[in-house]
Amino acid sequence: MTQPRKPPEFATRMQRVQSSAVRDLLKHSRTPGMISLAGGIPASDLFDLEGLGAIIAGLDARSDPGIFQYSETEGDRGLRAAIATLLATRGIAAKPDNILVTAGSQQGLDLAARILLSPGDRIILERPSYLAALQAFGLAEAQIVTAPSDADGMDVGWVEDRLARERVKAIYVVPDFGNPTGATMSLERRRRLVELAGRTGTVLLEDDPYGALRFAGAPLPSLQALATAAGVGEQVIYLSSFSKILAPGLRIGWMVMSDSAFRQAALAKQAIDLHSCSLSQHIVAAYLASGRLGPRLQVLREGYRQRRDALMGALRERLGDAIRFSEPAGGMFLWARFGEAVDAARVLAHGIEHGVVFVPGAAFYAEHPEHNTLRLSYSMITPAAAQEAAQRLARALAAAGE
Ligand SMILES: Cc1ncc(COP(=O)(O)O)c(C=O)c1O
């Protein structure tokens, strides 16, 4: 008789990571006829397939086998220089030597967590939070503290009080059009946060995957730019990515950081994956050299603005006062609320029957969930689908008896 096998004993850190509710919803998104407002992915119909296709068609593997070879951990030299030029357009003065190419900004988050956080160290995030950031900091066994946030972003006054009482190692912020709220942190709060970080020695982890997708209002300076101007640039680790402005499947992002943080992150990256994909780096570098990114950004901004307007208009028309939502100035998300007593998870259960899915907002809270909230992504929604989605949502809300 064979002995019953003991299940493998996994590391304790795995107990701190939960599967993302968004991923779990994807199976419903694939049901034929379903309209999904759930996925937080960029619009594939807005990818520059012509530009990318031309680069791929022009690849000459025989004369340049290096594109299939191992490459430097820090990233391709030419790509890092091109990223420095791109950053200058965002008001960030970075030397290529301080730019680490990563496998998306998600790897930047993981690297930052690994080099900064020992088990039990505190990190503050805004509430509600980007789910995969919660996962990355959970895997690092950090103590996660969430700060309230509103339409102007993280409540910096709350953070200041907290920092006066206890040691906090880092603060994670998405200042522009964050996921899930779409909110923009006000200039006043940005300044105050940078001042606070400089005074207390807390690291600011600035995640900026969406900033280039601004379609309304004037751009605000990044925390990195403000910190550099205030002489405390070393306090900030800045993360960004080509996922939302070019194509996420390439898995190319980057980190900007001080010399000492750079050395640590490069060391950690050696252990994780040696380097980011050589071929993807080559494609991104060639794309930047082609000069097509600027015009493509205009296409993306206009596309997302139209989709946002279509969804906001349809929600107002079909749901009226039954729903309230933010008006994001960029990015891909509307953060919405039903009436106080409504449970968005119940509405979702009826939504699945009526052919529409979204993410109930409670999924984005590490603590103190607000059950009447929901995240609606407009990135994949055409104006006609927006009308239909809002109508189905209204039916689901009625069926939930709310
Ligand atoms: C706030 C935020 N940060 C980081 C990422 C990760 O993006 P990527 O790893 O594709 O660059 C995402 C993706 O949705 C995001 O919403």
Side-chain angles (χ1 to χ4, degrees):
M1 250 183 39
T2 51
Q3 290 285 324
R5 239 188 266 154
K6 255 179 92 182
E9 210 173 279
F10 295 110
T12 48
R13 75 175 73 86
M14 291 312 296
Q15 291 159 11
R16 307 173 66 115
V17 201
Q18 286 176 0
S19 167
S20 154
V22 182
R23 292 206 169 273
D24 297 343
L25 268 172
L26 279 182
K27 63 176 187 295
H28 292 297
S29 305
R30 288 195 210 100
T31 309
M34 185 69 79
I35 301 182
S36 176
L37 303 167
I41 61 174
S44 6
D45 61 306
L46 296 178
F47 291 162
D48 183 3
L49 296 180
E50 204 185 307
L52 286 167
I55 289 166
I56 291 165
L59 284 177
D60 186 356
R62 273 169 303 188
S63 70
D64 189 7
I67 57 179
F68 297 119
Q69 189 51 281
Y70 282 123
S71 52
E72 285 177 53
T73 300
E74 292 78 3
D76 176 80
R77 283 251 126 221
L79 177 57
R80 292 162 75 198
I83 292 173
T85 306
L86 175 65
L87 284 170
T89 67
R90 301 183 184 179
I92 295 174
K95 289 192 298 227
D97 282 348
N98 295 87
I99 297 170
L100 180 72
V101 176
T102 56
S105 49
Q106 189 61 37
Q107 186 180 52
L109 272 170
D110 180 43
L111 287 170
R114 285 177 196 248
I115 67 168
L116 287 175
L117 303 170
S118 301
D121 278 351
R122 277 189 204 89
I123 179 160
I124 295 184
L125 282 77
E126 51 210 304
R127 174 170 81 235
S129 323
Y130 168 50
L131 285 176
L134 287 174
Q135 288 178 320
F137 304 139
L139 264 181
E141 300 180 74
Q143 193 177 325
I144 291 170
V145 177
T146 60
S149 71
D150 58 24
D152 287 333
M154 180 183 271
D155 181 344
V156 180
W158 187 97
V159 175
E160 192 162 4
D161 285 349
R162 194 83 192 205
L163 261 57
R165 283 189 278 128
E166 59 196 16
R167 169 114 175 91
V168 172
K169 203 73 175 286
I171 304 172
Y172 169 74
V173 203
V174 190
D176 283 335
F177 333 127
N179 177 0
T181 66
T184 304
M185 183 180 242
S186 68
L187 181 56
E188 190 254 320
R189 286 190 185 176
R190 289 177 198 228
R191 290 213 167 102
R192 216 169 139 195
L193 189 61
V194 164
E195 186 278 323
L196 185 61
R199 183 155 44 85
T200 57
T202 315
V203 175
L204 294 180
L205 198 47
E206 177 175 28
D207 189 7
D208 182 26
Y210 301 107
L213 298 180
R214 175 181 280 280
F215 44 67
L220 292 176
S222 63
L223 301 177
Q224 174 79 78
L226 289 172
T228 303
V232 291
E234 306 224 325
Q235 292 296 128
V236 181
I237 295 181
Y238 175 91
L239 314 173
S240 191
S241 169
F242 290 102
S243 288
K244 309 300 193 293
I245 58 175
L246 188 53
L250 293 167
R251 306 306 303 134
I252 299 293
W254 69 91
M255 303 170 83
V256 181
M257 55 208 150
S258 66
D259 295 342
S260 58
F262 185 92
R263 279 193 298 275
Q264 298 278 310
L267 201 59
K269 187 170 163 68
Q270 279 175 21
I272 294 169
D273 65 354
L274 302 180
H275 63 82
S276 298
C277 172
S278 307
L279 179 58
S280 282
Q281 292 190 68
H282 177 88
I283 293 170
V284 175
Y287 189 82
L288 293 176
S290 76
R292 292 176 74 105
L293 183 64
R296 177 55 38 173
L297 283 174
Q298 299 297 344
V299 173
L300 293 175
R301 289 175 190 135
E302 184 51 22
Y304 286 126
R305 190 190 59 73
Q306 280 174 7
R307 288 164 199 217
R308 176 203 67 165
D309 289 351
L311 186 61
M312 291 197 314
L315 291 171
R316 285 191 182 117
E317 213 174 291
R318 309 277 177 181
L319 285 115
D321 291 341
I323 196 165
R324 281 179 297 131
F325 48 83
S326 60
E327 210 166 294
M332 310 192 316
F333 304 109
L334 287 189
W335 182 245
R337 273 168 205 280
F338 293 127
E340 284 293 321
V342 179
D343 182 356
R346 247 173 79 76
V347 181
L348 173 65
H350 289 278
I352 293 169
E353 282 168 29
H354 286 85
V356 65
V357 286
F358 57 85
V359 188
F364 300 100
Y365 290 81
E367 50 190 357
H368 315 304
E370 295 189 52
H371 292 282
N372 63 332
T373 56
L374 60 158
R375 187 191 77 178
L376 301 172
S377 165
Y378 47 82
S379 59
M380 301 288 278
I381 291 291
T382 61
Q387 279 294 334
E388 184 58 32
Q391 194 160 20
R392 293 181 187 182
L393 195 57
R395 284 194 208 117
L397 185 63
E402 313 284 7

mmCIF file with all atom_site columns, all heavy atoms in Angstrom, residues 40 104-106 130 172 174 179 207 209-210 241 243-244 251, ligand 1:
data_model
loop_
_atom_site.group_PDB
_atom_site.id
_atom_site.type_symbol
_atom_site.label_atom_id
_atom_site.label_alt_id
_atom_site.label_comp_id
_atom_site.label_asym_id
_atom_site.label_entity_id
_atom_site.label_seq_id
_atom_site.pdbx_PDB_ins_code
_atom_site.Cartn_x
_atom_site.Cartn_y
_atom_site.Cartn_z
_atom_site.occupancy
_atom_site.B_iso_or_equiv
_atom_site.pdbx_formal_charge
_atom_site.auth_seq_id
_atom_site.auth_comp_id
_atom_site.auth_asym_id
_atom_site.auth_atom_id
_atom_site.pdbx_PDB_model_num
ATOM   1   N N   . GLY A 1 40  ? -8.713 45.474 -16.180 1.00 0.00 ? 40  GLY A N   1
ATOM   2   C CA  . GLY A 1 40  ? -7.974 46.741 -16.173 1.00 0.00 ? 40  GLY A CA  1
ATOM   3   C C   . GLY A 1 40  ? -6.924 46.749 -17.255 1.00 0.00 ? 40  GLY A C   1
ATOM   4   O O   . GLY A 1 40  ? -5.801 47.158 -17.014 1.00 0.00 ? 40  GLY A O   1
ATOM   5   N N   . GLY A 1 104 ? 8.094  45.028 -16.852 1.00 0.00 ? 104 GLY A N   1
ATOM   6   C CA  . GLY A 1 104 ? 6.888  45.771 -16.453 1.00 0.00 ? 104 GLY A CA  1
ATOM   7   C C   . GLY A 1 104 ? 7.137  46.501 -15.144 1.00 0.00 ? 104 GLY A C   1
ATOM   8   O O   . GLY A 1 104 ? 8.130  46.229 -14.440 1.00 0.00 ? 104 GLY A O   1
ATOM   9   N N   . SER A 1 105 ? 6.242  47.447 -14.811 1.00 0.00 ? 105 SER A N   1
ATOM   10  C CA  . SER A 1 105 ? 6.457  48.143 -13.532 1.00 0.00 ? 105 SER A CA  1
ATOM   11  C C   . SER A 1 105 ? 6.118  47.217 -12.371 1.00 0.00 ? 105 SER A C   1
ATOM   12  O O   . SER A 1 105 ? 6.523  47.457 -11.239 1.00 0.00 ? 105 SER A O   1
ATOM   13  C CB  . SER A 1 105 ? 5.691  49.458 -13.453 1.00 0.00 ? 105 SER A CB  1
ATOM   14  O OG  . SER A 1 105 ? 4.370  49.286 -13.823 1.00 0.00 ? 105 SER A OG  1
ATOM   15  N N   . GLN A 1 106 ? 5.390  46.126 -12.665 1.00 0.00 ? 106 GLN A N   1
ATOM   16  C CA  . GLN A 1 106 ? 5.101  45.165 -11.593 1.00 0.00 ? 106 GLN A CA  1
ATOM   17  C C   . GLN A 1 106 ? 6.406  44.588 -11.032 1.00 0.00 ? 106 GLN A C   1
ATOM   18  O O   . GLN A 1 106 ? 6.543  44.427 -9.828  1.00 0.00 ? 106 GLN A O   1
ATOM   19  C CB  . GLN A 1 106 ? 4.206  44.046 -12.130 1.00 0.00 ? 106 GLN A CB  1
ATOM   20  C CG  . GLN A 1 106 ? 3.668  43.125 -11.055 1.00 0.00 ? 106 GLN A CG  1
ATOM   21  C CD  . GLN A 1 106 ? 2.803  43.866 -10.027 1.00 0.00 ? 106 GLN A CD  1
ATOM   22  O OE1 . GLN A 1 106 ? 2.065  44.778 -10.370 1.00 0.00 ? 106 GLN A OE1 1
ATOM   23  N NE2 . GLN A 1 106 ? 2.913  43.495 -8.771  1.00 0.00 ? 106 GLN A NE2 1
ATOM   24  N N   . TYR A 1 130 ? -4.105 49.453 -5.331  1.00 0.00 ? 130 TYR A N   1
ATOM   25  C CA  . TYR A 1 130 ? -3.812 48.601 -6.488  1.00 0.00 ? 130 TYR A CA  1
ATOM   26  C C   . TYR A 1 130 ? -3.514 47.189 -5.957  1.00 0.00 ? 130 TYR A C   1
ATOM   27  O O   . TYR A 1 130 ? -2.616 47.001 -5.134  1.00 0.00 ? 130 TYR A O   1
ATOM   28  C CB  . TYR A 1 130 ? -2.619 49.186 -7.250  1.00 0.00 ? 130 TYR A CB  1
ATOM   29  C CG  . TYR A 1 130 ? -2.024 48.277 -8.283  1.00 0.00 ? 130 TYR A CG  1
ATOM   30  C CD1 . TYR A 1 130 ? -2.822 47.645 -9.236  1.00 0.00 ? 130 TYR A CD1 1
ATOM   31  C CD2 . TYR A 1 130 ? -0.655 48.050 -8.333  1.00 0.00 ? 130 TYR A CD2 1
ATOM   32  C CE1 . TYR A 1 130 ? -2.272 46.801 -10.181 1.00 0.00 ? 130 TYR A CE1 1
ATOM   33  C CE2 . TYR A 1 130 ? -0.090 47.208 -9.294  1.00 0.00 ? 130 TYR A CE2 1
ATOM   34  C CZ  . TYR A 1 130 ? -0.911 46.588 -10.209 1.00 0.00 ? 130 TYR A CZ  1
ATOM   35  O OH  . TYR A 1 130 ? -0.361 45.746 -11.154 1.00 0.00 ? 130 TYR A OH  1
ATOM   36  N N   . TYR A 1 172 ? 3.682  54.086 -0.727  1.00 0.00 ? 172 TYR A N   1
ATOM   37  C CA  . TYR A 1 172 ? 3.441  53.753 -2.144  1.00 0.00 ? 172 TYR A CA  1
ATOM   38  C C   . TYR A 1 172 ? 2.311  54.637 -2.668  1.00 0.00 ? 172 TYR A C   1
ATOM   39  O O   . TYR A 1 172 ? 1.221  54.659 -2.095  1.00 0.00 ? 172 TYR A O   1
ATOM   40  C CB  . TYR A 1 172 ? 3.061  52.278 -2.262  1.00 0.00 ? 172 TYR A CB  1
ATOM   41  C CG  . TYR A 1 172 ? 2.530  51.885 -3.628  1.00 0.00 ? 172 TYR A CG  1
ATOM   42  C CD1 . TYR A 1 172 ? 3.383  51.760 -4.719  1.00 0.00 ? 172 TYR A CD1 1
ATOM   43  C CD2 . TYR A 1 172 ? 1.164  51.659 -3.826  1.00 0.00 ? 172 TYR A CD2 1
ATOM   44  C CE1 . TYR A 1 172 ? 2.899  51.400 -5.970  1.00 0.00 ? 172 TYR A CE1 1
ATOM   45  C CE2 . TYR A 1 172 ? 0.672  51.293 -5.078  1.00 0.00 ? 172 TYR A CE2 1
ATOM   46  C CZ  . TYR A 1 172 ? 1.546  51.171 -6.141  1.00 0.00 ? 172 TYR A CZ  1
ATOM   47  O OH  . TYR A 1 172 ? 1.065  50.819 -7.376  1.00 0.00 ? 172 TYR A OH  1
ATOM   48  N N   . VAL A 1 174 ? 0.251  56.233 -6.291  1.00 0.00 ? 174 VAL A N   1
ATOM   49  C CA  . VAL A 1 174 ? 0.030  56.356 -7.743  1.00 0.00 ? 174 VAL A CA  1
ATOM   50  C C   . VAL A 1 174 ? -0.587 57.750 -7.925  1.00 0.00 ? 174 VAL A C   1
ATOM   51  O O   . VAL A 1 174 ? -1.799 57.901 -7.814  1.00 0.00 ? 174 VAL A O   1
ATOM   52  C CB  . VAL A 1 174 ? -0.926 55.261 -8.266  1.00 0.00 ? 174 VAL A CB  1
ATOM   53  C CG1 . VAL A 1 174 ? -0.961 55.247 -9.799  1.00 0.00 ? 174 VAL A CG1 1
ATOM   54  C CG2 . VAL A 1 174 ? -0.534 53.890 -7.746  1.00 0.00 ? 174 VAL A CG2 1
ATOM   55  N N   . ASN A 1 179 ? -5.154 53.159 -9.961  1.00 0.00 ? 179 ASN A N   1
ATOM   56  C CA  . ASN A 1 179 ? -5.986 51.976 -10.104 1.00 0.00 ? 179 ASN A CA  1
ATOM   57  C C   . ASN A 1 179 ? -6.322 51.511 -8.691  1.00 0.00 ? 179 ASN A C   1
ATOM   58  O O   . ASN A 1 179 ? -5.413 51.153 -7.958  1.00 0.00 ? 179 ASN A O   1
ATOM   59  C CB  . ASN A 1 179 ? -5.147 50.927 -10.853 1.00 0.00 ? 179 ASN A CB  1
ATOM   60  C CG  . ASN A 1 179 ? -5.840 49.610 -11.017 1.00 0.00 ? 179 ASN A CG  1
ATOM   61  O OD1 . ASN A 1 179 ? -6.966 49.438 -10.578 1.00 0.00 ? 179 ASN A OD1 1
ATOM   62  N ND2 . ASN A 1 179 ? -5.162 48.664 -11.638 1.00 0.00 ? 179 ASN A ND2 1
ATOM   63  N N   . ASP A 1 207 ? 4.485  55.220 -8.397  1.00 0.00 ? 207 ASP A N   1
ATOM   64  C CA  . ASP A 1 207 ? 4.132  54.320 -9.500  1.00 0.00 ? 207 ASP A CA  1
ATOM   65  C C   . ASP A 1 207 ? 3.364  55.141 -10.539 1.00 0.00 ? 207 ASP A C   1
ATOM   66  O O   . ASP A 1 207 ? 2.302  55.691 -10.241 1.00 0.00 ? 207 ASP A O   1
ATOM   67  C CB  . ASP A 1 207 ? 3.258  53.190 -8.917  1.00 0.00 ? 207 ASP A CB  1
ATOM   68  C CG  . ASP A 1 207 ? 3.011  52.072 -9.914  1.00 0.00 ? 207 ASP A CG  1
ATOM   69  O OD1 . ASP A 1 207 ? 3.613  52.095 -10.992 1.00 0.00 ? 207 ASP A OD1 1
ATOM   70  O OD2 . ASP A 1 207 ? 2.210  51.174 -9.594  1.00 0.00 ? 207 ASP A OD2 1
ATOM   71  N N   . PRO A 1 209 ? 2.202  54.401 -14.103 1.00 0.00 ? 209 PRO A N   1
ATOM   72  C CA  . PRO A 1 209 ? 1.967  53.749 -15.389 1.00 0.00 ? 209 PRO A CA  1
ATOM   73  C C   . PRO A 1 209 ? 1.002  54.510 -16.298 1.00 0.00 ? 209 PRO A C   1
ATOM   74  O O   . PRO A 1 209 ? 0.952  54.265 -17.500 1.00 0.00 ? 209 PRO A O   1
ATOM   75  C CB  . PRO A 1 209 ? 1.369  52.394 -14.996 1.00 0.00 ? 209 PRO A CB  1
ATOM   76  C CG  . PRO A 1 209 ? 0.786  52.577 -13.642 1.00 0.00 ? 209 PRO A CG  1
ATOM   77  C CD  . PRO A 1 209 ? 1.489  53.728 -12.991 1.00 0.00 ? 209 PRO A CD  1
ATOM   78  N N   . TYR A 1 210 ? 0.202  55.424 -15.705 1.00 0.00 ? 210 TYR A N   1
ATOM   79  C CA  . TYR A 1 210 ? -0.897 56.044 -16.466 1.00 0.00 ? 210 TYR A CA  1
ATOM   80  C C   . TYR A 1 210 ? -0.707 57.529 -16.773 1.00 0.00 ? 210 TYR A C   1
ATOM   81  O O   . TYR A 1 210 ? -1.501 58.106 -17.509 1.00 0.00 ? 210 TYR A O   1
ATOM   82  C CB  . TYR A 1 210 ? -2.214 55.903 -15.669 1.00 0.00 ? 210 TYR A CB  1
ATOM   83  C CG  . TYR A 1 210 ? -2.598 54.483 -15.377 1.00 0.00 ? 210 TYR A CG  1
ATOM   84  C CD1 . TYR A 1 210 ? -2.473 53.955 -14.094 1.00 0.00 ? 210 TYR A CD1 1
ATOM   85  C CD2 . TYR A 1 210 ? -3.079 53.658 -16.383 1.00 0.00 ? 210 TYR A CD2 1
ATOM   86  C CE1 . TYR A 1 210 ? -2.828 52.633 -13.816 1.00 0.00 ? 210 TYR A CE1 1
ATOM   87  C CE2 . TYR A 1 210 ? -3.430 52.339 -16.113 1.00 0.00 ? 210 TYR A CE2 1
ATOM   88  C CZ  . TYR A 1 210 ? -3.305 51.843 -14.836 1.00 0.00 ? 210 TYR A CZ  1
ATOM   89  O OH  . TYR A 1 210 ? -3.642 50.542 -14.574 1.00 0.00 ? 210 TYR A OH  1
ATOM   90  N N   . SER A 1 241 ? 6.264  52.402 -17.131 1.00 0.00 ? 241 SER A N   1
ATOM   91  C CA  . SER A 1 241 ? 6.116  51.208 -17.951 1.00 0.00 ? 241 SER A CA  1
ATOM   92  C C   . SER A 1 241 ? 5.672  51.549 -19.374 1.00 0.00 ? 241 SER A C   1
ATOM   93  O O   . SER A 1 241 ? 5.043  52.588 -19.608 1.00 0.00 ? 241 SER A O   1
ATOM   94  C CB  . SER A 1 241 ? 5.034  50.371 -17.275 1.00 0.00 ? 241 SER A CB  1
ATOM   95  O OG  . SER A 1 241 ? 4.621  49.320 -18.081 1.00 0.00 ? 241 SER A OG  1
ATOM   96  N N   . SER A 1 243 ? 3.644  49.402 -20.735 1.00 0.00 ? 243 SER A N   1
ATOM   97  C CA  . SER A 1 243 ? 2.439  48.578 -20.852 1.00 0.00 ? 243 SER A CA  1
ATOM   98  C C   . SER A 1 243 ? 1.225  49.366 -21.308 1.00 0.00 ? 243 SER A C   1
ATOM   99  O O   . SER A 1 243 ? 0.447  48.897 -22.128 1.00 0.00 ? 243 SER A O   1
ATOM   100 C CB  . SER A 1 243 ? 2.114  47.926 -19.508 1.00 0.00 ? 243 SER A CB  1
ATOM   101 O OG  . SER A 1 243 ? 3.049  46.922 -19.228 1.00 0.00 ? 243 SER A OG  1
ATOM   102 N N   . LYS A 1 244 ? 1.018  50.543 -20.762 1.00 0.00 ? 244 LYS A N   1
ATOM   103 C CA  . LYS A 1 244 ? -0.203 51.286 -21.051 1.00 0.00 ? 244 LYS A CA  1
ATOM   104 C C   . LYS A 1 244 ? -0.033 52.237 -22.236 1.00 0.00 ? 244 LYS A C   1
ATOM   105 O O   . LYS A 1 244 ? -1.005 52.769 -22.742 1.00 0.00 ? 244 LYS A O   1
ATOM   106 C CB  . LYS A 1 244 ? -0.651 52.075 -19.809 1.00 0.00 ? 244 LYS A CB  1
ATOM   107 C CG  . LYS A 1 244 ? -0.745 51.233 -18.532 1.00 0.00 ? 244 LYS A CG  1
ATOM   108 C CD  . LYS A 1 244 ? -1.732 50.093 -18.690 1.00 0.00 ? 244 LYS A CD  1
ATOM   109 C CE  . LYS A 1 244 ? -2.120 49.402 -17.391 1.00 0.00 ? 244 LYS A CE  1
ATOM   110 N NZ  . LYS A 1 244 ? -1.079 48.658 -16.707 1.00 0.00 ? 244 LYS A NZ  1
ATOM   111 N N   . ARG A 1 251 ? 6.156  43.371 -21.797 1.00 0.00 ? 251 ARG A N   1
ATOM   112 C CA  . ARG A 1 251 ? 6.666  43.320 -20.426 1.00 0.00 ? 251 ARG A CA  1
ATOM   113 C C   . ARG A 1 251 ? 7.941  44.157 -20.263 1.00 0.00 ? 251 ARG A C   1
ATOM   114 O O   . ARG A 1 251 ? 8.978  43.661 -19.807 1.00 0.00 ? 251 ARG A O   1
ATOM   115 C CB  . ARG A 1 251 ? 6.935  41.868 -19.949 1.00 0.00 ? 251 ARG A CB  1
ATOM   116 C CG  . ARG A 1 251 ? 5.770  40.908 -20.067 1.00 0.00 ? 251 ARG A CG  1
ATOM   117 C CD  . ARG A 1 251 ? 4.488  41.397 -19.392 1.00 0.00 ? 251 ARG A CD  1
ATOM   118 N NE  . ARG A 1 251 ? 4.639  41.697 -17.987 1.00 0.00 ? 251 ARG A NE  1
ATOM   119 C CZ  . ARG A 1 251 ? 4.149  42.817 -17.443 1.00 0.00 ? 251 ARG A CZ  1
ATOM   120 N NH1 . ARG A 1 251 ? 3.499  43.712 -18.181 1.00 0.00 ? 251 ARG A NH1 1
ATOM   121 N NH2 . ARG A 1 251 ? 4.284  43.033 -16.166 1.00 0.00 ? 251 ARG A NH2 1
HETATM 122 C C1  . LIG B 2 .   ? -1.093 51.043 -10.676 1.00 0.00 ? 1   LIG B C1  1
HETATM 123 C C2  . LIG B 2 .   ? -0.415 49.986 -11.481 1.00 0.00 ? 1   LIG B C2  1
HETATM 124 N N1  . LIG B 2 .   ? 0.892  49.763 -11.280 1.00 0.00 ? 1   LIG B N1  1
HETATM 125 C C3  . LIG B 2 .   ? 1.541  48.821 -11.970 1.00 0.00 ? 1   LIG B C3  1
HETATM 126 C C4  . LIG B 2 .   ? 0.903  48.046 -12.909 1.00 0.00 ? 1   LIG B C4  1
HETATM 127 C C5  . LIG B 2 .   ? 1.694  46.967 -13.600 1.00 0.00 ? 1   LIG B C5  1
HETATM 128 O O1  . LIG B 2 .   ? 1.859  47.210 -14.931 1.00 0.00 ? 1   LIG B O1  1
HETATM 129 P P1  . LIG B 2 .   ? 2.996  46.552 -15.814 1.00 0.00 ? 1   LIG B P1  1
HETATM 130 O O2  . LIG B 2 .   ? 3.733  45.558 -14.977 1.00 0.00 ? 1   LIG B O2  1
HETATM 131 O O3  . LIG B 2 .   ? 2.292  45.916 -16.944 1.00 0.00 ? 1   LIG B O3  1
HETATM 132 O O4  . LIG B 2 .   ? 3.868  47.680 -16.215 1.00 0.00 ? 1   LIG B O4  1
HETATM 133 C C6  . LIG B 2 .   ? -0.456 48.238 -13.154 1.00 0.00 ? 1   LIG B C6  1
HETATM 134 C C7  . LIG B 2 .   ? -1.172 47.390 -14.133 1.00 0.00 ? 1   LIG B C7  1
HETATM 135 O O5  . LIG B 2 .   ? -2.366 47.356 -14.256 1.00 0.00 ? 1   LIG B O5  1
HETATM 136 C C8  . LIG B 2 .   ? -1.142 49.236 -12.410 1.00 0.00 ? 1   LIG B C8  1
HETATM 137 O O6  . LIG B 2 .   ? -2.452 49.468 -12.570 1.00 0.00 ? 1   LIG B O6  1
#
